Amino acid sequence: AVHGDAFVYVPFSESLNPHLEHQLTKIGQVVTAIAVPDITKEQMQRRLFSQMSDELLPHLYMKAPGPWRAPVYGQMGSSMWGYLHQDVCKKMVEAYEVQRGGQQYEWVIFARADMMWTHKHPPLDLLDPGFVYVPFGQDNSFYNHGPEPGLNDRHAVIPRHLVHGYLGRWDALRTGEAWGLYFDRVSEAGDLINTEQYLLLHLRARGVPIRRFPPVAFVVHCSEGPQCQHLYKGTNLGKQQWTQ
C-alpha cells in the first residue's frame, strides 16, 4: 500500500457520505474532500469559455475537432469534465501544502475513482522521480486512423515537480497554450484527436518524460446513469441501455 494522503473530488454532492468516506480511508487519510453539484454540458461549455484568456480561443478550438473537446461544440462525450476535475485536484494538493507550511509532497498519484484494483500499487521507492509513470494499455492511439499516438489517462504516478505538467490540460486550454503548442498543428493537419492523444501531445510539449509499468487496476463496467459519465453526461441519451 502507498499509505498517502487522499484528496477526493466528487462531482455528485449526494455521493459523498460517511460510508464512502470510510471506504476511502483504505487509500489513506482523507485530508481534503470536495463535493459539488454536477453541471450540464451547456454549463460546462459556458464555464470553459468564460475562463478563457482570449475571446478568440473558442473560435480557434472549433478548428480542432475530435472527442478531446467533448461536450463542447456538440461533441459527444465528457472529456472536459476530466480536465476540470484534474485541475481541481491539483489545486487541492497545492492548497493543502500551503496549509502545512509549504511542505510539498514528493509524489502525487492520480487515479480514476471507478477503477477496480487487482494488485498492490507499485512501491514509490522503486520509481525514478525524473519520470511520470503510466500503466501500459488503453492508449487509444491513432484515433480515426490518424497519425497521433495516445497515452493511458486513467492512472498516473507523478513526481511533484511534474504535477503542473501532467494535470495542466484545463489551464492549457484556458490560457491558449494548448493552441499555440499543438492544436494549431492538429487543426492544419485535419486530424481528429481524442483525450489520450491530447494528453500525450500536452506532455510532449511540456517536456514531461514518461515510463510505463504493468497495470494494477482497470476501469469497471458501470450501469447506465449519471455516475457512468463517458456518454451519459455529454449526450441526451437519458436512460437508454447504451452501456450493454
mmCIF file of all heavy atoms in Angstrom, residues 6 8 12 17 27 32 36 65 74 84 86 98 100 104 121-122 130 187 196 206 225 233:
data_model
loop_
_atom_site.group_PDB
_atom_site.id
_atom_site.type_symbol
_atom_site.label_atom_id
_atom_site.label_comp_id
_atom_site.label_asym_id
_atom_site.label_seq_id
_atom_site.Cartn_x
_atom_site.Cartn_y
_atom_site.Cartn_z
ATOM 1 N N ALA A 6 -5.110 11.304 1.003
ATOM 2 C CA ALA A 6 -6.086 11.178 -0.081
ATOM 3 C C ALA A 6 -6.808 12.504 -0.296
ATOM 4 O O ALA A 6 -7.235 13.161 0.662
ATOM 5 C CB ALA A 6 -7.095 10.081 0.230
ATOM 6 N N VAL A 8 -10.070 13.915 -2.449
ATOM 7 C CA VAL A 8 -11.257 13.358 -3.099
ATOM 8 C C VAL A 8 -12.091 14.494 -3.669
ATOM 9 O O VAL A 8 -12.451 15.437 -2.954
ATOM 10 C CB VAL A 8 -12.107 12.553 -2.089
ATOM 11 C CG1 VAL A 8 -13.305 11.933 -2.785
ATOM 12 C CG2 VAL A 8 -11.256 11.489 -1.406
ATOM 13 N N PHE A 12 -20.766 14.793 -7.584
ATOM 14 C CA PHE A 12 -22.147 14.459 -7.259
ATOM 15 C C PHE A 12 -22.289 14.651 -5.752
ATOM 16 O O PHE A 12 -21.866 13.801 -4.971
ATOM 17 C CB PHE A 12 -22.479 13.019 -7.649
ATOM 18 C CG PHE A 12 -22.169 12.699 -9.085
ATOM 19 C CD1 PHE A 12 -21.074 11.929 -9.410
ATOM 20 C CD2 PHE A 12 -22.974 13.193 -10.093
ATOM 21 C CE1 PHE A 12 -20.783 11.639 -10.729
ATOM 22 C CE2 PHE A 12 -22.682 12.903 -11.418
ATOM 23 C CZ PHE A 12 -21.588 12.126 -11.735
ATOM 24 N N ASN A 17 -20.715 10.635 1.365
ATOM 25 C CA ASN A 17 -21.407 10.332 2.613
ATOM 26 C C ASN A 17 -20.440 9.617 3.556
ATOM 27 O O ASN A 17 -19.331 9.249 3.159
ATOM 28 C CB ASN A 17 -22.653 9.477 2.333
ATOM 29 C CG ASN A 17 -22.318 8.230 1.524
ATOM 30 O OD1 ASN A 17 -21.381 7.495 1.855
ATOM 31 N ND2 ASN A 17 -23.072 7.991 0.449
ATOM 32 N N ILE A 27 -7.469 4.010 1.101
ATOM 33 C CA ILE A 27 -6.429 4.633 0.284
ATOM 34 C C ILE A 27 -5.421 5.340 1.173
ATOM 35 O O ILE A 27 -4.212 5.249 0.989
ATOM 36 C CB ILE A 27 -7.051 5.637 -0.702
ATOM 37 C CG1 ILE A 27 -8.095 4.955 -1.584
ATOM 38 C CG2 ILE A 27 -5.972 6.312 -1.543
ATOM 39 C CD1 ILE A 27 -8.852 5.915 -2.472
ATOM 40 N N THR A 32 -8.516 16.229 2.233
ATOM 41 C CA THR A 32 -9.410 17.187 1.581
ATOM 42 C C THR A 32 -10.444 16.420 0.771
ATOM 43 O O THR A 32 -10.099 15.533 -0.003
ATOM 44 C CB THR A 32 -8.644 18.127 0.624
ATOM 45 O OG1 THR A 32 -7.591 18.764 1.325
ATOM 46 C CG2 THR A 32 -9.584 19.195 0.052
ATOM 47 N N VAL A 36 -19.402 18.730 -5.020
ATOM 48 C CA VAL A 36 -20.031 19.860 -5.690
ATOM 49 C C VAL A 36 -21.195 19.369 -6.536
ATOM 50 O O VAL A 36 -21.221 18.209 -6.963
ATOM 51 C CB VAL A 36 -19.023 20.607 -6.593
ATOM 52 C CG1 VAL A 36 -17.888 21.178 -5.772
ATOM 53 C CG2 VAL A 36 -18.482 19.694 -7.679
ATOM 54 N N PRO A 65 -11.230 19.440 -34.336
ATOM 55 C CA PRO A 65 -12.320 18.565 -33.901
ATOM 56 C C PRO A 65 -11.830 17.261 -33.292
ATOM 57 O O PRO A 65 -10.667 16.880 -33.412
ATOM 58 C CB PRO A 65 -13.087 18.298 -35.200
ATOM 59 C CG PRO A 65 -12.035 18.395 -36.263
ATOM 60 C CD PRO A 65 -11.094 19.475 -35.799
ATOM 61 N N GLY A 74 -20.989 20.559 -29.244
ATOM 62 C CA GLY A 74 -21.874 19.438 -29.530
ATOM 63 C C GLY A 74 -21.163 18.112 -29.695
ATOM 64 O O GLY A 74 -21.797 17.125 -30.084
ATOM 65 N N LEU A 84 -11.207 19.385 -16.066
ATOM 66 C CA LEU A 84 -11.592 20.274 -14.964
ATOM 67 C C LEU A 84 -11.359 19.602 -13.622
ATOM 68 O O LEU A 84 -10.824 20.227 -12.692
ATOM 69 C CB LEU A 84 -13.062 20.667 -15.107
ATOM 70 C CG LEU A 84 -13.645 21.525 -13.970
ATOM 71 C CD1 LEU A 84 -12.892 22.847 -13.838
ATOM 72 C CD2 LEU A 84 -15.132 21.771 -14.190
ATOM 73 N N GLN A 86 -9.230 17.255 -12.852
ATOM 74 C CA GLN A 86 -7.796 17.189 -12.567
ATOM 75 C C GLN A 86 -7.267 18.549 -12.115
ATOM 76 O O GLN A 86 -6.405 18.620 -11.236
ATOM 77 C CB GLN A 86 -7.040 16.709 -13.799
ATOM 78 C CG GLN A 86 -7.227 15.238 -14.092
ATOM 79 C CD GLN A 86 -6.308 14.744 -15.200
ATOM 80 O OE1 GLN A 86 -5.749 15.520 -15.967
ATOM 81 N NE2 GLN A 86 -6.140 13.437 -15.287
ATOM 82 N N VAL A 98 0.208 24.461 1.257
ATOM 83 C CA VAL A 98 0.311 25.783 1.891
ATOM 84 C C VAL A 98 -0.109 25.690 3.357
ATOM 85 O O VAL A 98 0.540 26.248 4.252
ATOM 86 C CB VAL A 98 -0.553 26.814 1.146
ATOM 87 C CG1 VAL A 98 -0.620 28.128 1.925
ATOM 88 C CG2 VAL A 98 0.008 27.062 -0.246
ATOM 89 N N ARG A 100 0.132 23.268 5.364
ATOM 90 C CA ARG A 100 1.119 22.590 6.213
ATOM 91 C C ARG A 100 2.501 23.241 6.102
ATOM 92 O O ARG A 100 3.533 22.593 6.200
ATOM 93 C CB ARG A 100 1.179 21.097 5.894
ATOM 94 C CG ARG A 100 1.633 20.710 4.516
ATOM 95 C CD ARG A 100 1.621 19.198 4.379
ATOM 96 N NE ARG A 100 2.435 18.721 3.264
ATOM 97 C CZ ARG A 100 2.784 17.461 3.084
ATOM 98 N NH1 ARG A 100 2.376 16.545 3.944
ATOM 99 N NH2 ARG A 100 3.532 17.098 2.059
ATOM 100 N N GLN A 104 6.043 20.376 0.453
ATOM 101 C CA GLN A 104 5.478 19.736 -0.722
ATOM 102 C C GLN A 104 5.574 18.211 -0.644
ATOM 103 O O GLN A 104 6.463 17.663 0.002
ATOM 104 C CB GLN A 104 6.198 20.214 -1.987
ATOM 105 C CG GLN A 104 5.908 21.649 -2.372
ATOM 106 C CD GLN A 104 6.407 21.962 -3.771
ATOM 107 O OE1 GLN A 104 7.379 21.389 -4.249
ATOM 108 N NE2 GLN A 104 5.731 22.884 -4.448
ATOM 109 N N HIS A 121 -0.267 -1.267 -5.421
ATOM 110 C CA HIS A 121 0.334 -0.183 -6.191
ATOM 111 C C HIS A 121 1.851 -0.342 -6.223
ATOM 112 O O HIS A 121 2.452 -0.782 -5.232
ATOM 113 C CB HIS A 121 -0.031 1.174 -5.575
ATOM 114 C CG HIS A 121 0.195 2.336 -6.483
ATOM 115 N ND1 HIS A 121 1.438 2.920 -6.643
ATOM 116 C CD2 HIS A 121 -0.646 3.014 -7.287
ATOM 117 C CE1 HIS A 121 1.340 3.910 -7.506
ATOM 118 N NE2 HIS A 121 0.099 3.991 -7.914
ATOM 119 N N PRO A 122 2.509 0.006 -7.327
ATOM 120 C CA PRO A 122 3.976 -0.082 -7.367
ATOM 121 C C PRO A 122 4.614 0.732 -6.244
ATOM 122 O O PRO A 122 4.217 1.878 -6.008
ATOM 123 C CB PRO A 122 4.320 0.522 -8.739
ATOM 124 C CG PRO A 122 3.098 0.325 -9.561
ATOM 125 C CD PRO A 122 1.942 0.447 -8.615
ATOM 126 N N GLY A 130 12.376 11.416 -11.876
ATOM 127 C CA GLY A 130 12.527 12.187 -13.102
ATOM 128 C C GLY A 130 11.481 11.870 -14.149
ATOM 129 O O GLY A 130 11.474 12.496 -15.213
ATOM 130 N N SER A 187 -5.042 21.224 -36.104
ATOM 131 C CA SER A 187 -6.056 21.836 -36.946
ATOM 132 C C SER A 187 -5.626 21.872 -38.408
ATOM 133 O O SER A 187 -6.401 21.545 -39.315
ATOM 134 C CB SER A 187 -6.346 23.255 -36.451
ATOM 135 O OG SER A 187 -7.210 23.937 -37.323
ATOM 136 N N GLU A 196 -6.782 10.743 -24.956
ATOM 137 C CA GLU A 196 -5.469 10.132 -24.742
ATOM 138 C C GLU A 196 -4.413 10.766 -25.639
ATOM 139 O O GLU A 196 -3.265 10.963 -25.231
ATOM 140 C CB GLU A 196 -5.550 8.626 -24.999
ATOM 141 C CG GLU A 196 -6.371 7.845 -23.976
ATOM 142 C CD GLU A 196 -7.852 7.815 -24.288
ATOM 143 O OE1 GLU A 196 -8.276 8.446 -25.285
ATOM 144 O OE2 GLU A 196 -8.615 7.171 -23.549
ATOM 145 N N ARG A 206 5.229 19.912 -23.033
ATOM 146 C CA ARG A 206 5.744 20.357 -21.736
ATOM 147 C C ARG A 206 7.069 19.696 -21.374
ATOM 148 O O ARG A 206 7.650 19.987 -20.338
ATOM 149 C CB ARG A 206 4.720 20.056 -20.636
ATOM 150 C CG ARG A 206 3.503 20.989 -20.634
ATOM 151 C CD ARG A 206 3.895 22.352 -20.085
ATOM 152 N NE ARG A 206 2.753 23.233 -19.914
ATOM 153 C CZ ARG A 206 1.998 23.298 -18.822
ATOM 154 N NH1 ARG A 206 2.252 22.481 -17.803
ATOM 155 N NH2 ARG A 206 1.009 24.142 -18.748
ATOM 156 N N GLY A 225 -26.313 5.661 -16.321
ATOM 157 C CA GLY A 225 -26.754 6.631 -15.322
ATOM 158 C C GLY A 225 -25.712 7.715 -15.155
ATOM 159 O O GLY A 225 -24.638 7.670 -15.750
ATOM 160 N N LYS A 233 -23.129 11.935 -19.694
ATOM 161 C CA LYS A 233 -23.015 13.350 -19.375
ATOM 162 C C LYS A 233 -22.957 14.229 -20.617
ATOM 163 O O LYS A 233 -23.401 15.364 -20.603
ATOM 164 C CB LYS A 233 -21.761 13.608 -18.527
ATOM 165 C CG LYS A 233 -21.858 13.088 -17.121
ATOM 166 C CD LYS A 233 -20.528 13.183 -16.420
ATOM 167 C CE LYS A 233 -20.099 14.615 -16.206
ATOM 168 N NZ LYS A 233 -20.979 15.329 -15.275
#
